[in-house]
Amino acid sequence: MSTVDPLLLSSSGSADSPSKHTAPARPSVGSLNCLCRADSCSSSVYEDCDTASVNFADEGDAIPRHCPEESDVSRVAERFQSADSHFFHRLSVECSQKERQRKISWGGVMEMQRSPSSLEVGVVSSSKEKPNRPPRGRNKSSHFEDLFSSEQEHDPRLIHINDPVRTNDRYEFTGNEIRTSKYTLITFLPKNLFIQFHRLAYVYFLVIAALNQLPPLAVFGRTASLFPLLFVLFVTAIKDGYEDWRRHRSDRNENNREALVLQHGDFRSKKWKHICAGEVVKIHSNETMPCDMVLLGTSDPNGIAYIQTMNLDGESNLKTRYARQETVTMISHSSYLGLIKCEQPNRNIYEFTATMELNNQRIPLGQSNIVLRGCQLKNTEWIIGVVVYAGQETKAMLNSTISRSKSSNLESYMNRETLWLSAFLLITCSVVATGMGVWLFKNTKNLDALPYYRRKYFTFGRENRKDFEFYGLALEIFFSFLSSVIIFQIMIPISLYITMELVRVGQSYFMIGDTRMYDSSSGSRFQCRSLNINEDLGQIRYIFSDKTGTLTQNKMEFQQASIYGRNYGSSLQVTSDSSHEITIAESSSQHDRKPKSEINVDALLLALLKQPLFGEERLAAHDFFLTLAACNTVIPVSTGGSPDLTNEVSEVGAIDYQGESPDEQALVIAASAYGYKLVERTTGHIVIDVQGERIRLDVLGLHEFDSVRKRMSVVVRFPDDTVKVLVKGADTSMLSILRTRNHDGLFDSLHAKTIETTENHLSSYSSEGLRTLVIGSKYLSNEEFSEWQERYEEASTSMTERSAKLRQAAALVECDLTLLGATGIEDKLQDGVPEAIESLRQAGIKVWVLTGDKQETAISIGLSCRLLTQGMHSIIINGSSEIECRSLLADAKAKFGIKSADLGKQDVEDLHNGDVSKLRSSNGQASESGIQNFQLTGVIANDKSVNIEESPNFDDAELALIIDGNSLVYILEKDLESELFDLATSCKVVICCRVAPLQKAGIVDLIKSRTSDMTLAIGDGANDVSMIQMADVGVGICGQEGRQAVMASDFAMGQFCFLKRLLLVHGHWNYQRMAYMILYNFYRNAVFVLMLFWYILHTAYSATLALTDWSSVFYSLIYTSVPTVVVGILDKDLSHNTLLYYPRLYEAGLRNEGYNMTLFWITMLDTLWQSLVLFYVPFFTYNISTMDIWSMGSLWTIAVVILVNIHLAMDIQRWVLITHLAIWGSIAATFLCMVLIDSIPIFPNYG
Amino acid sequence: SPFGWDSKFTQQELPACKPILTPKWVISVFLLVGVIFVPIGVASLLASNKVVEIVDRYDDACVPSNVTNKLAYIQNSTISKTCRRTLKVPKDMKQPIFVYYQLNNFYQNHRRYVKSRNDQQLRDASKANETTLCDPEKTRDGMAIVPCGLIAWSTFNDTYTFQHNTNNLSIDKTDISWKSDRDHKFGSDVFPKNFQKGPLIGGKTLNESIPLSEQEDLIVWMRTAALPTFRKLYGRIYVDLKENDTITVTLDNNYNTYSFDGKKSLVLSTSTWLGGKNDFLGLAYLTVGGLCFFLAFAFTLLYLIKPRKLGDNNYLSWNRNSAGH
């Protein structure tokens, strides 16, 4: 039932289209889909029935069992569930109408790959985009424009197989050399400088330095003025250069790998970088694909290849790819001919559209025929393929865009204040310029006579009586303005940018080094991958979390079973009877990094299975485990690495179960623990080792899981020639098709009782957060079987509406089942998740869960991680049309009195800033209808879920919004976004289920584009990448699902619960430190500038500095920088214990308490007052004295350094040795520097 | 290791001192500052009061009353500008008595002025032709002026001679400049050249046979003042003066301050450990000290009348804000 994970490709060879081509060679009975002729597939591959699926995507989770008749397609789907034959008629009508309509939702792209032959109807709906859909204005649309659009169809890419010369003749395809580095040795300097000067600050630096080179403005010496800029550029260039050198190195390694390429009729090894499109490449097992290739043939006669796409999408399980049957023969004859027409390179890894022209035959190629760069070949001896995309044009490379550089929230505030400072700077400069103008005007007549001005040269010679550096009143005023800009330049704290980077490096060091964020199980430390947004961690308002692998461990564990009305493995039994419990350590069936899975085996059940096959209960248990072992798409792979599956069975546990669904794996492993070991699976038969005895079951037909039926069944022939259908499925879909009568056609009260007890077990399982499945089976009589077989074969070969026909065939056998039992699988929560979520919510952070899982699972996880609580009202949105969604949203808003954002935003804010712990106590009745119903059945009327009578006071209610991906398709596409936003922001909890990766990003964007709140996305899989990149802060979990999420993230860590410490402790510290540091820097520089300004008022407005050039350059670089950095890294306002104990302390960041406009202006006033004291105390002390300018300048320099350092010292909250050293050391260093500067005789102040 | 994995440093748990501004701390710090500052202020004021200072402004007084155009008068080099001033000693003055001249409204710190010198030329005889930055007083007939630049050109050139009860009072004009200036900034082998030979004479002319390092008036002048009202040391008198003694000063009123309404004064002053006469510092110390005492007192009162519990959660921001709404 969990085949729903949409990223997965249906990997069972039995049902996929290419296997159809093998059909003629096989006996028609015993193979699947086999009657389909090769050419029949071509038209059906993509269009088979997107049709009906179009509209009733996946709301099935919440389909009510009895729903009113409506003409809406979704209703049709619901009825289908009850196998109403009328439905099929309706369905086909709908299908034909929409057949040609390739629908898409931007969110559903990933479901595409299932379309070829799976029976999945629901999801396909959202998967195709109307080619002429107008581009959306929002940034997410960029993701979709890559899709194969209609224009591109006219401009296909032509690949001549095994003719790279001709292939590359007409087109400029890229070679296979990849380059992720930014610079080469030659371009480094100009390009790096160009990039660096994108920073406005550096341009400012440059302009100031350039101004200073003009003779009338030369305030500073030339070197002194260039020094800061050069210093900064140099440091940054070194850093960039080092990073790029590392990229070069990894590129070189990658490009120099070798692969076997067909050259002169032979496969010879060739470096990756020399491979080009059109070449034929051979890949052996466990090798990595060098480029995107269309499969031509594999070592498997049927053309099957297993690949691991971990590098691409993070999925660790194997996926199947097929070579077209036509091309398989090509391999055996070693004649590589043909022309492939394929779409232009794009980054959609879930779609590939092409045709191959071979012997005047057009063969369609799809997603299942292509292997992508970065994938690894597994369990297949070799494959041969033709390169279609190489190098930068491969989907892997197109997807590995360099993530945009983020800049922190605080930094943008800081930039805003920098504008104020610029205004301030302009004012001071204008004052000086005006003063200069007035002074010049008043002294116009004297200018020649003033001994300290002397406008004219008064010596004879060339310059006789000419003006010396006097350009007229207007220009003089202008120059005076510019020179004061030069003098006051550090009013704009340029050094702050460098200081901030240094501080962030230091902060990262401590975050990385935090042992409490070290995941000892995987040995992974915290990682800071982005150095620009440390302080954002202190201001997160929204957390968007993935579920599987993030909140949960993604380790499915078979926990409980109900067999024949008896509950096994419940915690009660285990604890009371623990001595009997045996733990069987199953040899690792998972990926290497996963710990060996252990299964608790119930002793009673084991004892039952040891009994001879006699009695109803024993037989039911037998069938139960047979179904678990047989009814799935798991492929047993011997861990020896050999693809040959006929290994010795005696090697217990030497079998690796590869499947697309972890649930199925868990079931198979559980069955094997109870002695029902799946040994071999082919399209034709299954071999199961039942307690040492091998049973071979012939597979007569297999109905894959789809989201309409919500069950899967397999028709098998037992060795004793009986035919049975084994079914497993969601409780909602199974309970309605169980038999109520016994063989004699009488009401079977015993069975009914079993059903009743099983239902009770199911509800208790799901309330414990277990994922449940119901198992049933039925003997097929000869008549039933032959009728089914006829329908099934017809359906399998059908060219039109195959899915619907297959469903019809399935309905023939999936009825009147005998209930065998039910299973409860636990997706274990990670350690500390509920506590972490609780703390985060107390801290005022809203946690949204976005999961690809279905609604029930999402809700049960929500309950178990304490996101959802009993007192909450739940609003469930799962409409299947725009109108429906609109009305659902409107209803919910009306019901809970939610105002629109623009009208009552404050109210909404207040609502969710309110006391978290305040639970709604009055309306217990109402809440029951929401959540508790869920737990029981997982079914709720999709539009009337919040059927609560108008409650007088919803304001203090906690609302939970549960919305599914299908509704999001309509909502996010159809301008209902603002409605959703209003609703979602007034809910305490939002759970989005069944969402596609891009929808995740869309939801993040929904918040990001409408509020200024900071968002954080956390996830572990490739499906979270888009969300991670979209959010302000992306956090990757180094989980089992590859490294895609980590690569895209800003921070990466081992477990979800570290998020608590990351945000509450480090985030808070980083924010406080950075916020203080920025304010302090503003203060520090402004005090200095104002001090200079006051002096200039006493120098006849001429831009004179009492300080030496070097002192003013060193002021922010040496004299005062170290304490800033040290305090920015080390100071702590509160200890980590306090911060964790009082999560609400985090709200300081949310309220911008560390840095805001008010604080800025207070700081500026403080600056003004301090600079006045700083300047005028020495002024009055030494007015009318023999004090010379340089001594006075030194005095002021030392005074200002001491002043700002003491100011800093007074603000330090926590003094450690290093802080002392930095502060007092800086003052000492200042003295030292001044002594050094003054002892260089060429300086005017020497002495 | 102190910086290793899992060390106190990396876990940010280094031993630290966390000063909390409790009322006791604040009050005692203010008291301490007050206790330190007030005596310093008193001592400074006393020292300043002990200084005996005679200031005689003579720029107006030394121009004959019948002269209407002061500028023309001072620029006319043919007129003798000798002027006689009588000073009365207000209090006993102990030697050494410092003789200063004080200029008002003379922007020695003007950017054009401050820059207009060349330190290399002053120090090194071989760099005599190095006159960059010296504009507009750089060369004369193409020959480099030593010392060049506006500062040197405008050296103060009033001269004073003192008579005390008919006895000549000798002024010691040695060692009035900084020793480091004489030793390192002004070369002992650098002689004035082409100096004050132009059409406009700005100030003192220099004896071309005396090296710059011994031209102490020049050296004093070239250490430019920080502020537009300044004093420069003219010399010292090593004689004790009695109260009501009369000192006659014969001065040559050469220096042109009339073009910019500058004032010229002659200052005779004794000195103390604090330097010259300046009440500001003492007053500043007293004010700050007094303020500290006041604040200490006020806080003590506040603390006694309305004490506040340390670590009261009610004052935390979220509690405050939610109460406020």
Side-chain angles (χ1 to χ4, degrees), chain A residues 1076 1080 1083-1084 1087 1115 1119-1120 1123-1124 1127 1166 1170 1174 1198-1213 1215 1219-1220 1222-1227, chain B residues 29 33:
Chain A
Y1076 177 72
Y1080 173 73
Y1083 153 83
R1084 183 190 73 172
V1087 159
Y1115 173 72
Y1119 297 167
T1120 57
T1124 321
V1127 170
D1166 192 21
Q1170 290 195 20
L1174 178 73
I1198 289 168
V1200 73
V1201 169
I1202 292 178
L1203 173 75
V1204 298
N1205 277 311
I1206 293 288
H1207 178 99
L1208 182 67
M1210 287 184 5
D1211 285 343
I1212 287 176
Q1213 318 239 20
W1215 285 86
T1219 333
H1220 282 287
I1223 299 244
W1224 315 126
S1226 278
I1227 295 175
Chain B
V29 165
V33 173

Side-chain angles (χ1 to χ4, degrees), chain B residues 205-216:
Chain B
T205 45
L206 298 178
N207 186 341
E208 298 205 353
S209 60
I210 301 174
L212 290 184
S213 63
E214 287 166 33
Q215 309 265 12
E216 291 212 37

Side-chain angles (χ1 to χ4, degrees), chain A residues 245-492:
Chain A
W245 176 72
R246 281 174 43 180
R247 278 194 288 268
H248 267 291
R249 210 174 43 179
S250 72
D251 283 355
R252 205 161 45 237
N253 287 341
E254 186 91 336
N255 285 330
N256 287 336
R257 292 170 75 167
E258 292 190 346
L260 290 173
V261 176
L262 187 68
Q263 297 168 83
H264 316 295
D266 228 353
F267 283 105
R268 293 177 196 172
S269 105
K270 194 174 185 179
K271 282 190 175 169
W272 278 22
K273 60 181 167 188
H274 296 132
I275 297 174
C276 53
E279 285 189 314
V280 175
V281 180
K282 185 175 189 178
I283 305 292
H284 285 282
S285 186
N286 294 325
E287 285 180 355
T288 308
M289 312 293 159
C291 31
D292 296 355
M293 301 187 294
V294 166
L295 275 183
L296 295 177
T298 76
S299 53
D300 184 280
N302 298 332
I304 301 174
Y306 297 101
I307 56 163
Q308 193 181 45
T309 56
M310 192 148 84
N311 291 332
L312 215 56
D313 59 12
E315 306 276 339
S316 56
N317 54 297
L318 298 186
K319 301 197 174 74
T320 30
R321 292 288 186 272
Y322 306 93
R324 299 292 302 203
Q325 202 57 40
E326 295 87 340
T327 60
V328 170
T329 52
M330 198 156 84
I331 302 293
S332 49
H333 297 115
S334 293
S335 65
Y336 302 99
L337 281 171
L339 173 68
I340 293 175
K341 277 188 191 168
C342 60
E343 56 189 331
Q344 290 300 317
N346 62 61
R347 59 162 65 171
N348 183 355
I349 59 170
Y350 302 112
E351 196 182 13
F352 174 68
T353 316
T355 56
M356 187 194 288
E357 275 173 32
L358 184 66
N359 307 328
N360 299 323
Q361 218 183 350
R362 275 179 67 119
I363 308 161
L365 296 174
Q367 162 64 20
S368 59
N369 306 116
I370 189 169
V371 288
L372 302 179
R373 183 186 176 115
C375 299
Q376 271 194 313
L377 187 65
K378 294 279 182 189
N379 298 323
T380 313
E381 209 172 328
W382 49 261
I383 59 163
I384 288 174
V386 60
V387 178
V388 284
Y389 304 120
Q392 304 286 11
E393 291 176 344
T394 57
K395 290 175 188 284
M397 291 307 293
L398 288 171
N399 271 294
S400 68
T401 45
I402 300 146
S403 58
R404 71 202 165 89
S405 68
K406 298 174 175 176
S407 69
S408 78
N409 198 25
L410 209 53
E411 202 170 326
S412 59
Y413 283 135
M414 186 188 100
N415 290 334
R416 180 189 66 195
E417 260 70 87
T418 308
L419 285 182
W420 280 110
L421 288 176
S422 326
F424 208 50
L425 173 72
L426 292 185
I427 292 171
T428 49
C429 294
S430 307
V431 169
V432 172
T434 320
M436 176 69 129
V438 170
W439 189 88
L440 281 176
F441 185 73
K442 269 166 60 183
N443 290 288
T444 326
K445 287 181 216 134
N446 291 337
L447 286 181
D448 287 335
L450 285 178
Y452 54 83
Y453 196 91
R454 300 267 24 147
R455 183 174 59 188
K456 287 184 177 11
Y457 290 99
F458 45 83
T459 48
F460 294 121
R462 202 158 44 85
E463 293 118 353
N464 191 20
R465 308 303 292 171
K466 278 192 197 146
D467 283 348
F468 160 69
E469 286 193 3
F470 185 84
Y471 308 91
L473 189 62
L475 266 183
E476 278 299 304
I477 291 172
F478 179 63
F479 285 146
S480 150
F481 182 84
L482 287 185
S483 13
S484 35
V485 170
I486 296 174
I487 289 182
F488 300 151
Q489 57 170 298
I490 66 161
M491 185 66 141
I492 317 285

